[in-house]
Amino acid sequence: MADIDQVTESILEKIDSEGFKQEGAYNLRYNGYALCHGDTQHIKIKRKEDRQGIDVYISGETKGEQVHIPVVVAASGITDQVYNDFYVEEGAQVTIVAGCGIHNSGCNDSRHDGIHTFHIGPNANVRYEEKHYGEGEGTGAKILNPVTKIIMEKDSVFTLDTAQIKGVDSTKRETEVEMGEGAKLFVVEKLMTHDKQSAVSNMDIYLNGAGSSAQITSRSVARGESSQTFHPKAIGNALCHAHIQCDSIIMDKAQVCSIPEIDAKHVDAAIIHEAAIGRINSEQLIKLNTFGLSEEEAEAVIIENFLA
Amino acid sequence: MADIDQVTESILEKIDSEGFKQEGAYNLRYNGYALCHGDTQHIKIKRKEDRQGIDVYISGETKGEQVHIPVVVAASGITDQVYNDFYVEEGAQVTIVAGCGIHNSGCNDSRHDGIHTFHIGPNANVRYEEKHYGEGEGTGAKILNPVTKIIMEKDSVFTLDTAQIKGVDSTKRETEVEMGEGAKLFVVEKLMTHDKQSAVSNMDIYLNGAGSSAQITSRSVARGESSQTFHPKAIGNALCHAHIQCDSIIMDKAQVCSIPEIDAKHVDAAIIHEAAIGRINSEQLIKLNTFGLSEEEAEAVIIENFLA
C-alpha cells in the first residue's frame, strides 16, 4: 500500500464520491506520476510507453465493477498533461470514477490537462464520473483543461457525469462524441464558478447511427465576477433524437453565455434544445426566509439543490 | 400615376399583403430607381443625395398610417444596393410595409441588398413588414441580403415581421437591435426554402435598457436539398427579459442548423430560448389522410398552418 498524505486524502474525498481505496482496479496519479495502481481479473491498467498516461482495458466479462483513476496535483507550478485511453469490450458494464483536484499553495499556476479517449464496444454500458476541484491559499491559478473523446459502437450506452465543484480558476472543456447505431448518450454537466473564474465547455455530439439518442443536461451557477460559456452542439446525421437543456443561475456580477447548437442534416433527425439563464427564484428565497433562513442560507440551499 | 407593368403588379401582390396603391406615403423602387413616390402630411420620403436610397421622416403626429416601400427587380444581372433610413419621432404609430420581389428570366444573377436603419423615438410604435419572393424561369439566381439596424429609444415598441415566401435562391440576413429602457421588441421570422436554396439569418439583440424585453419567434420549413442556419443572439446588459423560440420542419434532404445564443451580462437578465427541429408531425399527417387528403395535400396544409 502506498502512503497517501493528508492533503491528498482530503482532495480524494472531494473528487471521488464513491470513496477511493487502494483495491480493485485503480490508478492514483500524483504530481505527474503514478503513485499506486491495481488491476483486477477483468480490468487491466497499463502505463503508456510513449507518453504520460495509461491504457485501461475493460473486458466484456466486467459486470458492475468500478475503476478509480483520480489525479491530484499538490505542487505549485506544475503542468501535468496526461493521455488516458479506455478500451471497453462488447457487453461490459463498468463505472469509471475519474476526477482531478489541485492544491496550489504557491504563486505559480498549477494545471492538469486530461486527454481521455473512450472506445466503447457494442452493447457496453459505461458510467464515467469526473469531479474537478481546486484549493490552496496560493495566488497561483488552478487550471483544468479536459479533452474527452468518446466513440460509441452499436447499442452502447455512455453516461458522462461531470462536476466542477469549486476552486477552479480556469477551465476549458472539449468533448466530442461519435455515436453509432442505437447508441445512447446521457450527459449531466454541473458547474459552479465564483470570484474571477472562467469556464468554457464545448461539446460536439455526432449522432451518426440510426436510432441513436442523446440527452444533455447542463446546470450551472455563476457567482462573483465569474464567466461561463456553454456551446453544446448536436449534429443529427441519421434518424435520431437529441435533447439539450441548459439552465444557469446568475448572481452578483457574473456572466453566462449559452449557445446550444442543433444541426439537423437528416430528415429523421429530431433535435430539441432549451436554455434559460436567470437569477435565483425570488419566490423560493422568500419561502425559505419565512422558515427563518437568512438570505445567504436560503441562497446556499437553493444552489445546492439546483446542482444536486 | 406611374404605369406599372403586369409582372411588377403580380410581384407587388405577392410582397405587399396590405395591397400596394399609389396613394398615401409610398415609394416603389423598380430595377434600381424610384418609379413613383408620394408623401403625406406626416410622412415625408426624400431621395438620398449621396447614394441610392431614401430617408423616411415619420412625425410624432402619425397615428395608424402606413408607408409602402416595395422593391421590384425584374431584370437579369442587376445588383441593386439601397440604403433606407427611417426617422420615427416620439409617439408616432406607423406601419411600414417593405418587401422585395425578383423576377429573373435570364441567366445572370439578380440581387437586392436593402440596408435599413430605423431610429425609433421614445414611445413610438412601429410595425415593419417585409416579404421576400423570387420567380422567373431563368437560370440566374435570385439573391436577397437584407441588413437591418434598429435603434430603439425609451419605451418604444418595434414589431419586425419578415417572411421569405419562396423562390429566393440565396439569402443572408443581418439584423441588429439596440434597445433602450423599457423598449419592447417582437420579431416573427418565417422562412421557406426549397430546391438547392440556402438561407442564413443572424440576429443580435442588445437589451441595454432596464425593463427592455424581446420576444423572437422563428418558424421555418426546409425542403428539397435546401439549407438554413439561424443564429439569433440575445445579449442582456440590464434588467431585461428575452425569449427566443425557433421551430423548424425538415423535409426531403434539407438541413437546418439552429444556434440561438443567450448571453446574460447582468444579474437581472432573464433569457430563455427553445428550439426544435423535426419532420412533419406524423399524427397530423395521418389525421388529414383519414379526411381524404393525399400525402402531398396533407403536407401542404400542415406547412401552410405552420408558417401562417
Side-chain angles (χ1 to χ4, degrees), chain A residues 180-228:
Chain A
E181 205 182 317
K184 287 185 173 39
L185 174 71
F186 301 90
V187 177
V188 179
E189 187 179 32
K190 284 170 189 165
L191 186 67
M192 155 83 96
T193 56
H194 47 93
D195 298 311
K196 288 178 190 289
Q197 297 177 349
S198 84
V200 174
S201 175
N202 296 318
M203 189 180 296
D204 290 358
I205 296 158
Y206 295 88
L207 298 113
N208 296 327
S212 55
S213 68
Q215 167 78 44
I216 317 302
T217 306
S218 166
R219 289 195 155 205
S220 79
V221 175
R223 322 184 64 142
E225 295 170 53
S226 66
S227 71
Q228 302 179 354

Side-chain angles (χ1 to χ4, degrees), chain A residues 105-145:
Chain A
S105 53
C107 58
N108 296 312
D109 295 352
S110 292
R111 171 171 161 180
H112 175 75
D113 296 356
I115 296 113
H116 289 186
T117 305
F118 296 88
H119 304 268
I120 312 300
N123 285 302
N125 188 332
V126 176
R127 180 178 171 79
Y128 177 73
E129 296 176 13
E130 187 184 78
K131 279 206 170 68
H132 283 171
Y133 169 69
E135 63 171 35
E137 65 286 4
T139 53
K142 282 87 68 182
I143 303 168
L144 287 164
N145 293 335

Side-chain angles (χ1 to χ4, degrees), chain B residues 128-145:
Chain B
Y128 178 72
E129 296 176 15
E130 187 183 78
K131 277 205 171 70
H132 283 169
Y133 168 70
E135 61 170 38
E137 64 285 4
T139 53
K142 283 87 70 182
I143 303 168
L144 287 165
N145 294 334

Side-chain angles (χ1 to χ4, degrees), chain A residues 140-207:
Chain A
K142 282 87 68 182
I143 303 168
L144 287 164
N145 293 335
V147 177
T148 308
K149 171 139 194 189
I150 307 166
I151 300 139
M152 299 178 67
E153 289 190 54
K154 194 180 171 189
D155 296 326
S156 62
V157 178
F158 197 97
T159 304
L160 176 62
D161 186 341
T162 69
Q164 180 171 315
I165 318 166
K166 66 178 281 194
V168 179
D169 293 299
S170 169
T171 189
K172 188 162 186 237
R173 177 181 289 279
E174 300 283 348
T175 308
E176 189 184 311
V177 188
E178 288 177 19
M179 303 183 66
E181 205 182 317
K184 287 185 173 39
L185 174 71
F186 301 90
V187 177
V188 179
E189 187 179 32
K190 284 170 189 165
L191 186 67
M192 155 83 96
T193 56
H194 47 93
D195 298 311
K196 288 178 190 289
Q197 297 177 349
S198 84
V200 174
S201 175
N202 296 318
M203 189 180 296
D204 290 358
I205 296 158
Y206 295 88
L207 298 113

Side-chain angles (χ1 to χ4, degrees), chain A residues 256 258 262 264 268 271 273 275 279, chain B residues 256 258 262 264 268 273 275 279:
Chain A
V256 177
S258 186
I262 60 179
D268 287 313
I271 317 185
H273 68 64
R279 67 184 302 155
Chain B
V256 177
S258 187
I262 60 180
D268 287 313
H273 69 65
R279 65 185 305 158

Side-chain angles (χ1 to χ4, degrees), chain A:
Chain A
M1 296 271 285
D3 272 345
I4 296 178
D5 65 29
Q6 219 179 329
V7 164
T8 306
E9 277 291 5
S10 140
I11 287 178
L12 286 172
E13 275 171 32
K14 298 274 189 195
I15 61 173
D16 189 330
S17 50
E18 309 281 340
F20 178 77
K21 294 194 194 98
Q22 292 183 50
E23 52 183 60
Y26 69 94
N27 187 84
L28 170 57
R29 186 175 177 87
Y30 175 80
N31 283 348
Y33 67 95
L35 188 66
C36 53
H37 114 264
D39 288 345
T40 69
Q41 192 193 338
H42 302 132
I43 303 172
K44 308 292 179 202
I45 301 175
K46 291 192 178 136
R47 190 186 298 191
K48 278 188 193 294
E49 303 286 328
D50 57 338
R51 51 184 175 179
Q52 290 295 317
I54 49 175
D55 291 323
V56 181
Y57 297 92
I58 296 165
S59 88
E61 311 298 305
T62 312
K63 303 290 170 199
E65 274 187 68
Q66 295 185 352
V67 193
H68 292 252
I69 51 162
V71 172
V72 175
V73 177
S76 191
I78 275 193
T79 292
D80 183 30
Q81 190 171 55
V82 60
Y83 294 81
N84 295 337
D85 292 286
F86 301 83
Y87 299 91
V88 183
E89 284 184 4
E90 179 164 0
Q93 291 172 21
V94 68
T95 296
I96 302 165
V97 184
C100 180
I102 299 179
H103 180 95
N104 191 350
S105 53
C107 58
N108 296 312
D109 295 352
S110 292
R111 171 171 161 180
H112 175 75
D113 296 356
I115 296 113
H116 289 186
T117 305
F118 296 88
H119 304 268
I120 312 300
N123 285 302
N125 188 332
V126 176
R127 180 178 171 79
Y128 177 73
E129 296 176 13
E130 187 184 78
K131 279 206 170 68
H132 283 171
Y133 169 69
E135 63 171 35
E137 65 286 4
T139 53
K142 282 87 68 182
I143 303 168
L144 287 164
N145 293 335
V147 177
T148 308
K149 171 139 194 189
I150 307 166
I151 300 139
M152 299 178 67
E153 289 190 54
K154 194 180 171 189
D155 296 326
S156 62
V157 178
F158 197 97
T159 304
L160 176 62
D161 186 341
T162 69
Q164 180 171 315
I165 318 166
K166 66 178 281 194
V168 179
D169 293 299
S170 169
T171 189
K172 188 162 186 237
R173 177 181 289 279
E174 300 283 348
T175 308
E176 189 184 311
V177 188
E178 288 177 19
M179 303 183 66
E181 205 182 317
K184 287 185 173 39
L185 174 71
F186 301 90
V187 177
V188 179
E189 187 179 32
K190 284 170 189 165
L191 186 67
M192 155 83 96
T193 56
H194 47 93
D195 298 311
K196 288 178 190 289
Q197 297 177 349
S198 84
V200 174
S201 175
N202 296 318
M203 189 180 296
D204 290 358
I205 296 158
Y206 295 88
L207 298 113
N208 296 327
S212 55
S213 68
Q215 167 78 44
I216 317 302
T217 306
S218 166
R219 289 195 155 205
S220 79
V221 175
R223 322 184 64 142
E225 295 170 53
S226 66
S227 71
Q228 302 179 354
T229 304
F230 297 94
H231 191 184
K233 184 173 172 181
I235 303 103
N237 290 320
L239 186 158
C240 63
H241 285 270
H243 186 188
I244 305 176
Q245 170 107 35
C246 304
D247 291 297
S248 300
I249 291 179
I250 186 171
M251 299 173 74
D252 311 321
K253 291 186 171 174
Q255 300 190 4
V256 177
C257 181
S258 186
I259 321 162
E261 178 167 349
I262 60 179
D263 203 348
K265 293 175 188 276
H266 190 283
V267 68
D268 287 313
I271 317 185
I272 292 175
H273 68 64
E274 299 163 81
I277 307 175
R279 67 184 302 155
I280 282 188
N281 189 316
S282 56
E283 283 174 28
Q284 288 179 356
L285 269 184
I286 291 163
K287 193 179 270 180
L288 290 170
N289 285 159
T290 62
F291 288 141
L293 279 74
S294 72
E295 183 103 350
E296 244 174 44
E297 288 164 340
E299 272 186 8
V301 167
I302 292 168
I303 289 170
E304 200 180 316
N305 276 286
F306 181 69
L307 294 180

Side-chain angles (χ1 to χ4, degrees), chain B residues 55-70:
Chain B
D55 290 323
V56 180
Y57 297 93
I58 296 165
S59 88
E61 311 296 305
T62 312
K63 303 290 170 200
E65 273 187 69
Q66 296 184 351
V67 193
H68 292 253
I69 52 161

